[in-house]
mmCIF file of all heavy atoms in Angstrom:
data_model
loop_
_atom_site.group_PDB
_atom_site.id
_atom_site.type_symbol
_atom_site.label_atom_id
_atom_site.label_comp_id
_atom_site.label_asym_id
_atom_site.label_seq_id
_atom_site.Cartn_x
_atom_site.Cartn_y
_atom_site.Cartn_z
ATOM 1 N N ALA A 22 -66.960 35.829 261.920
ATOM 2 C CA ALA A 22 -67.439 35.143 260.768
ATOM 3 C C ALA A 22 -67.842 33.680 261.334
ATOM 4 O O ALA A 22 -68.746 33.103 260.661
ATOM 5 C CB ALA A 22 -66.346 35.027 259.768
ATOM 6 N N LEU A 23 -67.242 33.219 262.327
ATOM 7 C CA LEU A 23 -67.409 31.760 262.714
ATOM 8 C C LEU A 23 -68.927 31.452 263.000
ATOM 9 O O LEU A 23 -69.289 30.307 262.630
ATOM 10 C CB LEU A 23 -66.492 31.467 263.849
ATOM 11 C CG LEU A 23 -65.096 31.515 263.477
ATOM 12 C CD1 LEU A 23 -64.131 31.068 264.711
ATOM 13 C CD2 LEU A 23 -64.693 30.567 262.265
ATOM 14 N N PRO A 24 -69.708 32.315 263.661
ATOM 15 C CA PRO A 24 -71.094 31.843 263.865
ATOM 16 C C PRO A 24 -71.841 31.499 262.546
ATOM 17 O O PRO A 24 -72.600 30.569 262.439
ATOM 18 C CB PRO A 24 -71.745 33.053 264.483
ATOM 19 C CG PRO A 24 -70.665 33.819 265.105
ATOM 20 C CD PRO A 24 -69.433 33.591 264.215
ATOM 21 N N PHE A 25 -71.499 32.173 261.535
ATOM 22 C CA PHE A 25 -72.168 31.840 260.224
ATOM 23 C C PHE A 25 -71.576 30.631 259.615
ATOM 24 O O PHE A 25 -72.365 29.828 259.069
ATOM 25 C CB PHE A 25 -71.851 33.078 259.175
ATOM 26 C CG PHE A 25 -72.423 34.287 259.604
ATOM 27 C CD1 PHE A 25 -71.778 35.395 260.131
ATOM 28 C CD2 PHE A 25 -73.846 34.432 259.518
ATOM 29 C CE1 PHE A 25 -72.325 36.511 260.456
ATOM 30 C CE2 PHE A 25 -74.452 35.672 259.918
ATOM 31 C CZ PHE A 25 -73.717 36.644 260.407
ATOM 32 N N VAL A 26 -70.352 30.393 259.769
ATOM 33 C CA VAL A 26 -69.728 29.150 259.167
ATOM 34 C C VAL A 26 -70.168 27.907 260.028
ATOM 35 O O VAL A 26 -70.417 26.905 259.485
ATOM 36 C CB VAL A 26 -68.141 29.276 259.183
ATOM 37 C CG1 VAL A 26 -67.550 27.984 258.820
ATOM 38 C CG2 VAL A 26 -67.666 30.448 258.317
ATOM 39 N N ALA A 27 -70.259 28.103 261.240
ATOM 40 C CA ALA A 27 -70.637 26.931 262.096
ATOM 41 C C ALA A 27 -71.998 26.396 261.849
ATOM 42 O O ALA A 27 -72.323 25.270 261.956
ATOM 43 C CB ALA A 27 -70.583 27.318 263.565
ATOM 44 N N ILE A 28 -72.952 27.287 261.254
ATOM 45 C CA ILE A 28 -74.313 26.947 261.117
ATOM 46 C C ILE A 28 -74.522 26.261 259.748
ATOM 47 O O ILE A 28 -75.333 25.349 259.644
ATOM 48 C CB ILE A 28 -75.185 28.193 261.216
ATOM 49 C CG1 ILE A 28 -75.210 28.605 262.638
ATOM 50 C CG2 ILE A 28 -76.657 27.816 260.811
ATOM 51 C CD1 ILE A 28 -75.852 29.857 262.949
ATOM 52 N N GLY A 29 -73.735 26.706 258.722
ATOM 53 C CA GLY A 29 -73.958 26.091 257.414
ATOM 54 C C GLY A 29 -73.421 26.806 256.197
ATOM 55 O O GLY A 29 -72.433 27.516 256.385
ATOM 56 N N LEU A 30 -73.997 26.563 254.951
ATOM 57 C CA LEU A 30 -73.568 27.058 253.744
ATOM 58 C C LEU A 30 -74.629 27.437 252.753
ATOM 59 O O LEU A 30 -75.820 27.278 252.974
ATOM 60 C CB LEU A 30 -72.548 26.054 253.127
ATOM 61 C CG LEU A 30 -71.387 25.692 253.961
ATOM 62 C CD1 LEU A 30 -70.733 24.492 253.397
ATOM 63 C CD2 LEU A 30 -70.455 26.850 254.182
ATOM 64 N N THR A 31 -74.374 27.911 251.406
ATOM 65 C CA THR A 31 -75.400 28.478 250.494
ATOM 66 C C THR A 31 -75.596 27.929 249.056
ATOM 67 O O THR A 31 -75.109 27.104 248.580
ATOM 68 C CB THR A 31 -75.350 30.000 250.282
ATOM 69 O OG1 THR A 31 -74.271 30.507 249.975
ATOM 70 C CG2 THR A 31 -76.393 30.744 250.763
ATOM 71 N N ALA A 32 -76.102 28.674 248.143
ATOM 72 C CA ALA A 32 -77.005 28.770 246.885
ATOM 73 C C ALA A 32 -76.748 27.749 245.818
ATOM 74 O O ALA A 32 -75.615 27.285 245.632
ATOM 75 C CB ALA A 32 -76.997 30.124 246.344
ATOM 76 N N ALA A 33 -77.770 27.507 245.020
ATOM 77 C CA ALA A 33 -77.783 26.381 244.138
ATOM 78 C C ALA A 33 -77.407 26.695 242.604
ATOM 79 O O ALA A 33 -76.766 25.889 242.015
ATOM 80 C CB ALA A 33 -79.122 25.681 244.058
ATOM 81 N N GLN A 34 -77.761 27.961 242.115
ATOM 82 C CA GLN A 34 -77.515 28.223 240.750
ATOM 83 C C GLN A 34 -76.089 28.386 240.468
ATOM 84 O O GLN A 34 -75.532 27.917 239.463
ATOM 85 C CB GLN A 34 -78.228 29.399 240.251
ATOM 86 C CG GLN A 34 -79.640 29.792 240.532
ATOM 87 C CD GLN A 34 -79.925 30.163 241.891
ATOM 88 O OE1 GLN A 34 -79.287 29.774 242.908
ATOM 89 N NE2 GLN A 34 -80.884 31.021 242.053
ATOM 90 N N ALA A 35 -75.456 29.241 241.192
ATOM 91 C CA ALA A 35 -74.017 29.648 240.918
ATOM 92 C C ALA A 35 -73.108 28.482 241.413
ATOM 93 O O ALA A 35 -73.436 27.669 242.309
ATOM 94 C CB ALA A 35 -73.630 30.897 241.677
ATOM 95 N N ASP A 36 -71.903 28.480 240.807
ATOM 96 C CA ASP A 36 -70.915 27.574 241.207
ATOM 97 C C ASP A 36 -70.616 27.736 242.747
ATOM 98 O O ASP A 36 -70.489 28.883 243.175
ATOM 99 C CB ASP A 36 -69.691 27.771 240.358
ATOM 100 C CG ASP A 36 -68.465 27.066 240.827
ATOM 101 O OD1 ASP A 36 -68.450 25.808 240.757
ATOM 102 O OD2 ASP A 36 -67.510 27.678 241.292
ATOM 103 N N TYR A 37 -70.538 26.645 243.463
ATOM 104 C CA TYR A 37 -70.364 26.751 244.949
ATOM 105 C C TYR A 37 -69.029 27.603 245.281
ATOM 106 O O TYR A 37 -69.011 28.231 246.294
ATOM 107 C CB TYR A 37 -70.412 25.461 245.590
ATOM 108 C CG TYR A 37 -69.217 24.604 245.489
ATOM 109 C CD1 TYR A 37 -68.215 24.741 246.361
ATOM 110 C CD2 TYR A 37 -69.167 23.655 244.456
ATOM 111 C CE1 TYR A 37 -67.055 23.878 246.266
ATOM 112 C CE2 TYR A 37 -67.990 22.852 244.394
ATOM 113 C CZ TYR A 37 -66.971 22.917 245.245
ATOM 114 O OH TYR A 37 -65.905 22.154 245.087
ATOM 115 N N SER A 38 -67.927 27.424 244.433
ATOM 116 C CA SER A 38 -66.766 28.191 244.717
ATOM 117 C C SER A 38 -66.943 29.641 244.743
ATOM 118 O O SER A 38 -66.449 30.360 245.593
ATOM 119 C CB SER A 38 -65.640 27.764 243.796
ATOM 120 O OG SER A 38 -65.347 26.385 243.946
ATOM 121 N N GLU A 39 -67.651 30.095 243.733
ATOM 122 C CA GLU A 39 -68.024 31.480 243.555
ATOM 123 C C GLU A 39 -68.792 31.985 244.811
ATOM 124 O O GLU A 39 -68.636 33.044 245.360
ATOM 125 C CB GLU A 39 -68.674 31.864 242.258
ATOM 126 C CG GLU A 39 -69.015 33.226 242.083
ATOM 127 C CD GLU A 39 -69.787 33.501 240.854
ATOM 128 O OE1 GLU A 39 -70.121 32.595 240.036
ATOM 129 O OE2 GLU A 39 -70.237 34.702 240.683
ATOM 130 N N GLN A 40 -69.818 31.123 245.158
ATOM 131 C CA GLN A 40 -70.564 31.446 246.170
ATOM 132 C C GLN A 40 -69.807 31.528 247.458
ATOM 133 O O GLN A 40 -70.035 32.394 248.401
ATOM 134 C CB GLN A 40 -71.749 30.361 246.511
ATOM 135 C CG GLN A 40 -72.844 30.328 245.394
ATOM 136 C CD GLN A 40 -73.850 29.322 245.687
ATOM 137 O OE1 GLN A 40 -74.460 29.462 246.734
ATOM 138 N NE2 GLN A 40 -73.933 28.377 244.793
ATOM 139 N N TYR A 41 -68.884 30.603 247.748
ATOM 140 C CA TYR A 41 -68.104 30.588 248.918
ATOM 141 C C TYR A 41 -67.286 31.877 248.986
ATOM 142 O O TYR A 41 -67.139 32.373 250.108
ATOM 143 C CB TYR A 41 -67.119 29.414 248.898
ATOM 144 C CG TYR A 41 -67.774 28.062 249.360
ATOM 145 C CD1 TYR A 41 -69.144 27.893 249.491
ATOM 146 C CD2 TYR A 41 -66.959 26.988 249.666
ATOM 147 C CE1 TYR A 41 -69.749 26.725 249.855
ATOM 148 C CE2 TYR A 41 -67.516 25.833 250.083
ATOM 149 C CZ TYR A 41 -68.943 25.550 250.107
ATOM 150 O OH TYR A 41 -69.456 24.452 250.571
ATOM 151 N N GLU A 42 -66.714 32.329 247.877
ATOM 152 C CA GLU A 42 -65.936 33.590 247.929
ATOM 153 C C GLU A 42 -66.763 34.728 248.248
ATOM 154 O O GLU A 42 -66.418 35.575 249.103
ATOM 155 C CB GLU A 42 -65.239 33.728 246.499
ATOM 156 C CG GLU A 42 -64.133 32.753 246.246
ATOM 157 C CD GLU A 42 -63.081 32.620 247.320
ATOM 158 O OE1 GLU A 42 -62.597 33.567 247.916
ATOM 159 O OE2 GLU A 42 -62.742 31.425 247.746
ATOM 160 N N LYS A 43 -67.997 34.792 247.612
ATOM 161 C CA LYS A 43 -68.949 35.903 247.940
ATOM 162 C C LYS A 43 -69.419 35.893 249.381
ATOM 163 O O LYS A 43 -69.542 36.846 250.107
ATOM 164 C CB LYS A 43 -70.015 35.979 246.931
ATOM 165 C CG LYS A 43 -69.609 36.279 245.566
ATOM 166 C CD LYS A 43 -70.637 36.439 244.592
ATOM 167 C CE LYS A 43 -70.216 36.709 243.221
ATOM 168 N NZ LYS A 43 -69.440 37.986 243.065
ATOM 169 N N ILE A 44 -69.650 34.662 249.899
ATOM 170 C CA ILE A 44 -70.059 34.496 251.220
ATOM 171 C C ILE A 44 -68.950 34.978 252.163
ATOM 172 O O ILE A 44 -69.205 35.635 253.228
ATOM 173 C CB ILE A 44 -70.519 33.009 251.534
ATOM 174 C CG1 ILE A 44 -71.820 32.673 250.788
ATOM 175 C CG2 ILE A 44 -70.605 32.776 253.096
ATOM 176 C CD1 ILE A 44 -72.163 31.198 250.845
ATOM 177 N N ALA A 45 -67.717 34.604 251.888
ATOM 178 C CA ALA A 45 -66.651 34.995 252.654
ATOM 179 C C ALA A 45 -66.521 36.557 252.868
ATOM 180 O O ALA A 45 -66.304 36.996 253.904
ATOM 181 C CB ALA A 45 -65.367 34.313 252.169
ATOM 182 N N VAL A 46 -66.603 37.226 251.724
ATOM 183 C CA VAL A 46 -66.547 38.649 251.685
ATOM 184 C C VAL A 46 -67.711 39.141 252.509
ATOM 185 O O VAL A 46 -67.612 40.151 253.398
ATOM 186 C CB VAL A 46 -66.592 39.171 250.325
ATOM 187 C CG1 VAL A 46 -66.770 40.745 250.317
ATOM 188 C CG2 VAL A 46 -65.320 38.790 249.581
ATOM 189 N N ALA A 47 -68.963 38.594 252.282
ATOM 190 C CA ALA A 47 -70.135 39.105 252.987
ATOM 191 C C ALA A 47 -69.998 38.978 254.527
ATOM 192 O O ALA A 47 -70.190 39.852 255.230
ATOM 193 C CB ALA A 47 -71.371 38.552 252.538
ATOM 194 N N VAL A 48 -69.602 37.721 254.920
ATOM 195 C CA VAL A 48 -69.595 37.461 256.346
ATOM 196 C C VAL A 48 -68.469 38.254 256.998
ATOM 197 O O VAL A 48 -68.672 38.808 258.094
ATOM 198 C CB VAL A 48 -69.341 35.825 256.508
ATOM 199 C CG1 VAL A 48 -68.950 35.543 257.994
ATOM 200 C CG2 VAL A 48 -70.572 35.095 256.044
ATOM 201 N N SER A 49 -67.323 38.431 256.379
ATOM 202 C CA SER A 49 -66.290 39.133 256.941
ATOM 203 C C SER A 49 -66.492 40.624 257.039
ATOM 204 O O SER A 49 -65.773 41.393 257.650
ATOM 205 C CB SER A 49 -64.993 38.910 256.361
ATOM 206 O OG SER A 49 -64.854 39.244 255.020
ATOM 207 N N SER A 50 -67.529 41.103 256.380
ATOM 208 C CA SER A 50 -67.842 42.574 256.211
ATOM 209 C C SER A 50 -69.032 42.951 257.125
ATOM 210 O O SER A 50 -69.312 44.140 257.193
ATOM 211 C CB SER A 50 -68.205 42.852 254.817
ATOM 212 O OG SER A 50 -67.195 42.552 253.919
ATOM 213 N N VAL A 51 -69.697 41.955 257.750
ATOM 214 C CA VAL A 51 -70.875 42.287 258.452
ATOM 215 C C VAL A 51 -70.694 43.348 259.526
ATOM 216 O O VAL A 51 -71.457 44.466 259.441
ATOM 217 C CB VAL A 51 -71.445 40.884 259.237
ATOM 218 C CG1 VAL A 51 -72.411 41.370 260.268
ATOM 219 C CG2 VAL A 51 -71.953 40.066 258.194
ATOM 220 N N GLN A 52 -69.729 43.361 260.399
ATOM 221 C CA GLN A 52 -69.673 44.359 261.426
ATOM 222 C C GLN A 52 -69.286 45.666 260.932
ATOM 223 O O GLN A 52 -69.772 46.653 261.368
ATOM 224 C CB GLN A 52 -68.729 43.824 262.492
ATOM 225 C CG GLN A 52 -69.214 42.724 263.362
ATOM 226 C CD GLN A 52 -68.308 42.305 264.481
ATOM 227 O OE1 GLN A 52 -67.104 42.597 264.391
ATOM 228 N NE2 GLN A 52 -68.711 41.623 265.409
ATOM 229 N N THR A 53 -68.336 45.778 259.917
ATOM 230 C CA THR A 53 -67.930 47.034 259.369
ATOM 231 C C THR A 53 -69.133 47.625 258.641
ATOM 232 O O THR A 53 -69.384 48.919 258.876
ATOM 233 C CB THR A 53 -66.672 46.916 258.504
ATOM 234 O OG1 THR A 53 -65.606 46.166 259.117
ATOM 235 C CG2 THR A 53 -66.285 48.150 257.986
ATOM 236 N N CYS A 54 -69.858 46.885 257.874
ATOM 237 C CA CYS A 54 -70.981 47.352 257.188
ATOM 238 C C CYS A 54 -72.078 47.932 258.085
ATOM 239 O O CYS A 54 -72.682 48.931 257.893
ATOM 240 C CB CYS A 54 -71.495 46.380 256.198
ATOM 241 S SG CYS A 54 -70.454 46.026 254.784
ATOM 242 N N GLU A 55 -72.288 47.203 259.240
ATOM 243 C CA GLU A 55 -73.211 47.611 260.224
ATOM 244 C C GLU A 55 -72.833 48.977 260.803
ATOM 245 O O GLU A 55 -73.563 49.947 260.944
ATOM 246 C CB GLU A 55 -73.361 46.651 261.346
ATOM 247 C CG GLU A 55 -74.235 45.440 260.974
ATOM 248 C CD GLU A 55 -74.297 44.469 262.065
ATOM 249 O OE1 GLU A 55 -73.336 44.266 262.919
ATOM 250 O OE2 GLU A 55 -75.313 43.774 262.137
ATOM 251 N N GLN A 56 -71.521 49.216 260.993
ATOM 252 C CA GLN A 56 -70.915 50.462 261.505
ATOM 253 C C GLN A 56 -71.132 51.622 260.571
ATOM 254 O O GLN A 56 -71.156 52.804 260.866
ATOM 255 C CB GLN A 56 -69.457 50.381 261.906
ATOM 256 C CG GLN A 56 -69.284 49.484 263.149
ATOM 257 C CD GLN A 56 -67.850 49.367 263.497
ATOM 258 O OE1 GLN A 56 -66.959 49.815 262.792
ATOM 259 N NE2 GLN A 56 -67.641 48.665 264.637
ATOM 260 N N LEU A 57 -71.244 51.281 259.270
ATOM 261 C CA LEU A 57 -71.420 52.228 258.194
ATOM 262 C C LEU A 57 -72.818 52.430 257.815
ATOM 263 O O LEU A 57 -73.250 53.121 256.833
ATOM 264 C CB LEU A 57 -70.604 51.794 256.921
ATOM 265 C CG LEU A 57 -69.167 51.789 256.990
ATOM 266 C CD1 LEU A 57 -68.471 51.180 255.770
ATOM 267 C CD2 LEU A 57 -68.631 53.222 257.297
ATOM 268 N N GLY A 58 -73.830 51.876 258.674
ATOM 269 C CA GLY A 58 -75.198 52.158 258.569
ATOM 270 C C GLY A 58 -76.034 51.202 257.749
ATOM 271 O O GLY A 58 -77.123 51.423 257.234
ATOM 272 N N TYR A 59 -75.383 49.988 257.475
ATOM 273 C CA TYR A 59 -76.162 48.944 256.722
ATOM 274 C C TYR A 59 -76.886 48.037 257.713
ATOM 275 O O TYR A 59 -76.349 47.835 258.776
ATOM 276 C CB TYR A 59 -75.254 48.123 255.852
ATOM 277 C CG TYR A 59 -74.678 48.859 254.649
ATOM 278 C CD1 TYR A 59 -73.698 49.781 254.722
ATOM 279 C CD2 TYR A 59 -75.365 48.758 253.482
ATOM 280 C CE1 TYR A 59 -73.253 50.477 253.690
ATOM 281 C CE2 TYR A 59 -74.940 49.423 252.252
ATOM 282 C CZ TYR A 59 -73.918 50.314 252.402
ATOM 283 O OH TYR A 59 -73.464 51.043 251.319
ATOM 284 N N THR A 60 -78.027 47.611 257.329
ATOM 285 C CA THR A 60 -78.778 46.511 258.159
ATOM 286 C C THR A 60 -78.387 45.247 257.494
ATOM 287 O O THR A 60 -78.406 45.030 256.321
ATOM 288 C CB THR A 60 -80.305 46.786 258.043
ATOM 289 O OG1 THR A 60 -80.538 48.119 258.540
ATOM 290 C CG2 THR A 60 -80.994 45.733 258.805
#
């Protein structure tokens, strides 16, 4: 996850805390989702 965190952060409409939680789940899921066939 660290390469994503080191570069920056996200979105304007939603509360940033909610975005942070969703980003955390997304970033920590990248490799497993790729192994499951997701791009």
Side-chain angles (χ1 to χ4, degrees):
L23 294 180
F25 296 105
V26 175
I28 295 175
L30 306 166
T31 48
Q34 322 69 326
D36 172 64
Y37 76 87
S38 295
E39 179 184 359
Q40 290 183 64
Y41 279 14
E42 294 304 318
K43 292 187 183 297
I44 288 168
V46 170
V48 168
S49 67
S50 302
V51 166
Q52 289 182 342
T53 304
C54 291
E55 284 178 332
Q56 290 178 354
L57 292 174
Y59 287 81
T60 300

